[in-house]
Amino acid sequence: MSRRHSNDEPSPRKDLANVVGTWRLVSMVRPDSAAGSNLYWDDRPTGLIIYKGDGHMAAQLYDSRRPRLGVRWELASLEAARTAYAGLITYFGAYSVDRASATITHNVQGAMAPDWIGSTLVRAYRFLTPDRLELRIVTDGTGQRVANGTIVVWDRVCS
C-alpha cells in the first residue's frame, strides 16, 4: 500500500523540487569549538550553486579578495596561481536529496581539485526560509566526515 502525503507533510520529491534552481552565495563560516563561528574567507564571498531538475548540479564559490593576476591565467606566477586557486571551490556532477537524513549528496564528476573527481560530498541541508538554503559540510573531498563542517548559506536567484 502506498502512503499519500498531505499538503502539510513534505514528500521526498517536494524537497528535491524545493532545491531545484539557482542559488547565490550569501555567507560561508566555519563553526568553532566555543559555539561561535569564523568567516571562511571574508564577509563577501561570491558564488552560485545550481540544482537542475534532472539531478545535475554545479557549484562555484569564490573569495572576493582574490587579486587580479595581471596576465593571462596560464602565464601567472606560481604564487599568484596558488593564491587564486586557494580562493575558489568549483565542481559539478549529479546530486540526490535524502529527506530522511536531511542531506544532499553531490557525486563529483569534474572539479578544480582533480582528487575530488569521483568523490561523494555530503551536505546536511535545511531551509531557513523558502528562498534561503543552508548547507553544512558533512564529508570533504576525500570522503572523510568533517567535525563542525563549514556552513554555507544560499539565497534563491530563480527556480
Side-chain angles (χ1 to χ4, degrees):
M1 172 182 221
S2 69
R3 182 173 179 204
R4 301 196 102 166
H5 295 279
S6 69
N7 288 339
D8 59 346
E9 180 184 350
S11 69
R13 292 199 55 78
K14 182 162 175 51
D15 271 3
L16 176 61
N18 286 345
V19 79
V20 169
T22 301
W23 301 82
R24 181 182 54 81
L25 182 59
V26 173
S27 67
M28 192 169 174
V29 298
R30 292 182 178 149
D32 63 26
S33 58
S37 62
N38 299 301
L39 296 174
Y40 188 87
W41 286 315
D42 71 352
D43 63 347
R44 297 177 301 117
T46 186
L48 293 174
I49 191 165
I50 301 167
Y51 289 107
K52 302 276 291 168
D54 66 2
H56 288 89
M57 61 78 57
Q60 298 184 33
L61 298 83
Y62 300 96
D63 180 348
S64 64
R65 301 168 302 168
R66 291 185 319 147
R68 292 186 171 275
L69 296 174
V71 296
R72 291 193 334 248
W73 66 268
E74 65 270 19
L75 299 176
S77 70
L78 289 178
E79 188 56 37
R82 185 181 347 254
T83 299
Y85 184 79
L88 66 94
I89 300 169
T90 63
Y91 63 95
F92 70 89
Y95 77 97
S96 59
V97 176
D98 182 338
R99 187 180 188 306
S101 65
T103 58
I104 299 175
T105 300
H106 300 161
N107 296 299
V108 180
Q109 297 168 346
M112 57 160 222
D115 295 348
W116 284 21
I117 297 170
S119 70
T120 300
L121 306 176
V122 179
R123 307 299 187 236
Y125 76 89
R126 68 181 178 137
F127 290 95
L128 303 175
T129 72
D131 292 323
R132 182 162 275 200
L133 174 64
E134 178 187 276
L135 299 179
R136 179 187 290 262
I137 295 174
V138 176
T139 62
D140 64 16
T142 67
Q144 300 297 308
R145 290 192 69 81
V146 176
N148 294 324
T150 299
I151 299 169
V152 187
V153 176
W154 305 89
D155 277 348
R156 185 185 306 274
V157 175
C158 62
S159 303

